[in-house]
Amino acid sequence: MLFSKTCEYAIRACIYIAQQSGEDKKVAIKEIAKGIDSPEHFIAKILQNLSKKGFINSVKGPNGGFYMDKKNMKTTISDIVLLIDGDSLFTKCVLGLKQCSENKPCPLHNQYKHTRKEIIELFRNSKIGQISEQVDLNETFLKLK
Amino acid sequence: MLFSKTCEYAIRACIYIAQQSGEDKKVAIKEIAKGIDSPEHFIAKILQNLSKKGFINSVKGPNGGFYMDKKNMKTTISDIVLLIDGDSLFTKCVLGLKQCSENKPCPLHNQYKHTRKEIIELFRNSKIGQISEQVDLNETFLKLK
DNA sequence: AAAATAAAGGATAAAAAACTCTTTTATTAA
DNA sequence: TTAATAAAAGAGTTTTTTATCCTTTATTTT
Ligand code: FES
Ligand code: FES
């Protein structure tokens, strides 16, 4: 498993919010939970955190909810992963050595470093705004029926 | 994190046993724990499991311990991962959708599938026997200092 | 045969991750 | 200005992962 459950939900939620909302249209927790098929109270906590860190925007009260402004549309998958799971996936030794380095590499280091670089690039190049468009076109999905 | 802690220890332990042991020379739990810098009682449990599944060989009593026969030298990292962590890393959706498929792909599926293939290949092509030789030559390491 | 050794097995404990519930605060609309 | 709404905040529970301890079994050496 690359990501924690929390991180999976966070990414799906961000994409959903980007796709469903606008400055005027907001989406409520309940709708998000349904839209990405996640536990309602759990995603609530995650959204709270994303909001506090400024990754998504929120408004309380009637007609309130979550939305994503232009700036936040540029957030990358990498940004979200770093916020939720930290940089372990990107920097830590795949076999759990205290640190990953070229001097004292683990037996998988030399092959794995290339794959890891690819992973990092992939997530760095994936912007929420652009991804949400694919979902909008029904090319990709955030939950299964 | 790609692997569970259990899986990291299991891989390191297998490589250590392959490198240190032979049909006549066996290594004890204590030495293994030191050699790969893992909790002694925890690695004991893991070795028990690896032994039961036939991934490593063991002998009880004085001068007993763990070793690895010719056949087990051919075990791959992939085999160990499948035993300990199951196939989630290789088959499950990276964003946690109920299933990963081409029909209903998640937003990361199309790029990620190539990376995943690389990961799978990398681990399938890494044989314990061959890896242990690198460690023997001090080219790669199982613990830091 | 007895004592010593080392893994196997089983039960438990601590920590982290996943998930839930209840109360409070901000905002809006009636 | 009151009632309703929806997120924020905080506390709590459950489950899984990580780790430890103790007893039993097998083997070997004395
Ligand atoms: S040292 Fe293990 S991945 Fe770099
Ligand atoms: S559907 Fe998500 S990785 Fe294939």
Side-chain angles (χ1 to χ4, degrees):
Chain A
M1 243 61 163
L2 248 51
F3 306 138
S4 68
K5 225 95 224 345
T6 304
C7 192
E8 290 177 0
Y9 291 145
I11 296 171
R12 304 222 303 268
C14 282
I15 299 172
Y16 185 81
I17 292 169
Q19 186 228 335
Q20 295 285 327
S21 77
E23 295 279 348
D24 43 348
K25 201 203 166 199
K26 279 123 200 149
V27 278
I29 291 177
K30 216 166 230 169
E31 198 198 320
I32 296 171
K34 275 178 196 159
I36 67 170
D37 190 26
S38 74
E40 187 181 321
H41 291 112
F42 192 33
I43 197 67
K45 279 281 135 196
I46 297 168
L47 293 173
Q48 214 178 95
N49 185 25
L50 287 169
S51 172
K52 198 165 59 183
K53 299 287 167 50
F55 281 54
I56 57 179
N57 312 87
S58 75
V59 175
K60 282 182 180 179
N63 294 316
F66 296 89
Y67 68 100
M68 198 170 274
D69 62 25
K70 272 250 178 79
K71 176 185 137 277
N72 280 332
M73 285 290 191
K74 291 177 191 147
T75 301
T76 65
I77 299 294
S78 176
D79 295 329
I80 301 172
V81 174
L82 285 168
L83 177 76
I84 310 277
D85 285 346
D87 66 354
S88 343
L89 180 63
F90 303 146
T91 64
K92 292 264 158 65
C93 169
V94 71
L95 283 191
L97 298 197
K98 291 258 161 61
Q99 59 169 317
C100 170
S101 74
E102 291 289 326
N103 313 41
K104 283 246 176 178
C106 77
L108 293 182
H109 178 90
N110 287 304
Q111 296 102 299
Y112 180 64
K113 66 180 175 186
H114 302 114
T115 311
R116 173 160 60 194
K117 203 172 181 180
E118 256 189 52
I119 295 176
I120 294 174
E121 286 308 307
L122 198 164
F123 296 150
R124 268 210 190 120
N125 294 330
S126 302
K127 291 203 180 60
I128 294 297
Q130 152 207 327
I131 289 176
S132 72
E133 286 167 30
Q134 302 168 14
V135 177
D136 218 32
L137 295 170
N138 258 277
E139 290 171 0
T140 62
F141 306 84
L142 292 171
K143 68 162 180 179
L144 300 184
K145 209 335 38 34
Chain B
M1 244 60 163
L2 248 53
F3 306 138
S4 68
K5 224 94 224 346
T6 304
C7 193
E8 290 177 359
Y9 292 145
I11 296 171
R12 304 222 302 269
C14 281
I15 299 171
Y16 185 82
I17 293 169
Q19 186 227 334
Q20 296 284 327
S21 76
E23 294 280 347
D24 42 350
K25 200 203 167 199
K26 279 123 198 149
V27 277
I29 291 177
K30 217 164 230 173
E31 197 198 321
I32 297 171
K34 276 180 195 160
I36 68 171
D37 190 27
S38 74
E40 186 181 321
H41 292 111
F42 192 32
I43 196 67
K45 280 279 136 202
I46 298 169
L47 293 172
Q48 212 179 100
N49 186 24
L50 287 169
S51 172
K52 198 165 61 185
K53 299 288 166 46
F55 281 54
I56 56 179
N57 311 86
S58 74
V59 175
K60 283 184 180 177
N63 294 316
F66 296 90
Y67 68 100
M68 198 170 274
D69 62 26
K70 270 250 178 80
K71 177 184 137 278
N72 280 331
M73 285 291 192
K74 289 177 192 148
T75 301
T76 65
I77 299 295
S78 177
D79 294 330
I80 301 172
V81 173
L82 286 168
L83 176 76
I84 310 278
D85 286 345
D87 67 354
S88 343
L89 180 65
F90 304 145
T91 63
K92 292 263 157 65
C93 169
V94 71
L95 284 190
L97 297 197
K98 292 257 162 60
Q99 58 169 317
C100 170
S101 75
E102 290 291 323
N103 314 38
K104 283 243 173 181
C106 77
L108 293 183
H109 177 89
N110 286 304
Q111 296 103 298
Y112 180 64
K113 65 181 174 186
H114 303 114
T115 311
R116 174 161 58 195
K117 204 172 182 181
E118 256 188 53
I119 296 176
I120 294 175
E121 286 308 307
L122 198 165
F123 296 150
R124 268 209 192 121
N125 294 330
S126 303
K127 292 202 181 60
I128 294 298
Q130 153 206 329
I131 289 177
S132 71
E133 287 168 31
Q134 301 168 15
V135 177
D136 217 32
L137 295 170
N138 258 277
E139 289 170 1
T140 62
F141 306 85
L142 292 172
K143 68 163 181 178
L144 299 184
K145 220 307 335 330

